[in-house]
Amino acid sequence: MIEIIPAIDIIDGKCVRLTQGDYDTKKVYEEDPLEVAKRFEAHGIRRLHTVDLDGAKAQHVVNYKTIERIADHTSLVIDFGGGIKSDEDIDVAFACGASMVTIGSVAVKKPALFEKWIEKYNDNKIILGADVKNGLISINGWMEEGEDELMPFLHRYVSKGVDNVLCTDISKDGMLQGPAVELYEEVMKEFPNLNLIASGGVSCIEDIDRLNESGIPAVVFGKAIYEGRIKLEELEKYVG
């Protein structure tokens, strides 16, 4: 059964959402992300995806105190992404209570550093962020389009021991028009043992049902919850 992973994106310590990664589309949904996390936990959700959008723009971790509060006041398993660019950043992420980190830009820009982290944190603590736009990997909070194509990029790091991949179709993100199911099916066909986390476009519970029926291991979503298109009660069949 598909794993349900709600997302909390953070700017200025607040719970926000963007559309297609555009900071000009910022919408604040909650002043205190901890209250959002507590609501998720109250409905049986066990996993949380957090993104430091300030960190992604600044290229170093910024909102670690917010993650620390969530870790201290819930039992959620937190994965943390956004702005992790150095050994110091990754140390801060784990020190503030993250169980896993999602890394995208470093895997593109500093492959030797990323491979070092794969070896050091080889017990499922590293998630490779593969954010796709026009077939190419985008980095630095989606503000920069790289030259790497998705499948070769994944092959490179799966061969190095990566088991967890968060794949976002940027064209779908925040649009509430449905996820890129065919893309995720293609990835799973190429890498059948991959713990793939689909991200972007989820608009209703039926979208999650479709991903589940397609055998996608996990899904990250947020805006559909914040906009009231998915009720937390609807997720109970997936969180047990």
Side-chain angles (χ1 to χ4, degrees), residues 15 99 236:
C15 177
S99 299
E236 290 177 1

Side-chain angles (χ1 to χ4, degrees), residues 16-35:
V16 308
R17 293 298 287 177
L18 309 180
T19 299
Q20 295 183 330
D22 184 352
Y23 283 73
D24 290 335
T25 66
K26 179 186 76 174
K27 182 175 181 179
V28 177
Y29 285 97
E30 184 79 41
E31 292 288 323
D32 187 358
L34 174 59
E35 294 305 312

Side-chain angles (χ1 to χ4, degrees), residues 55-114:
K57 181 178 282 190
Q59 300 198 40
H60 62 84
V61 172
V62 174
N63 285 294
Y64 62 93
K65 287 293 185 182
T66 301
I67 308 305
E68 189 172 54
R69 289 182 64 239
I70 295 172
D72 286 347
H73 294 92
T74 74
S75 60
L76 293 167
V77 175
I78 300 169
D79 79 69
F80 178 37
I84 299 173
K85 298 291 193 290
S86 66
D87 288 327
E88 181 182 4
D89 287 323
I90 201 169
D91 288 344
V92 167
F94 286 128
C96 75
S99 299
M100 294 167 277
V101 292
T102 300
I103 309 292
S105 300
V106 168
V108 174
K109 293 281 193 177
K110 300 178 181 178
L113 178 59
F114 184 64

Side-chain angles (χ1 to χ4, degrees), residues 202-215:
V202 170
S203 64
C204 58
I205 193 67
E206 288 77 16
D207 287 336
I208 295 176
D209 294 340
R210 187 179 173 199
L211 289 166
N212 182 56
E213 290 162 4
S214 294

Side-chain angles (χ1 to χ4, degrees), residues 114 118 124 126-128 154 156-165 194-195:
F114 184 64
I118 295 171
N124 280 323
I126 299 293
I127 302 169
L128 173 62
L154 294 181
R156 174 179 184 173
Y157 286 119
V158 169
S159 71
K160 299 288 185 180
V162 164
D163 295 316
N164 302 282
V165 172
L194 190 67
N195 182 28

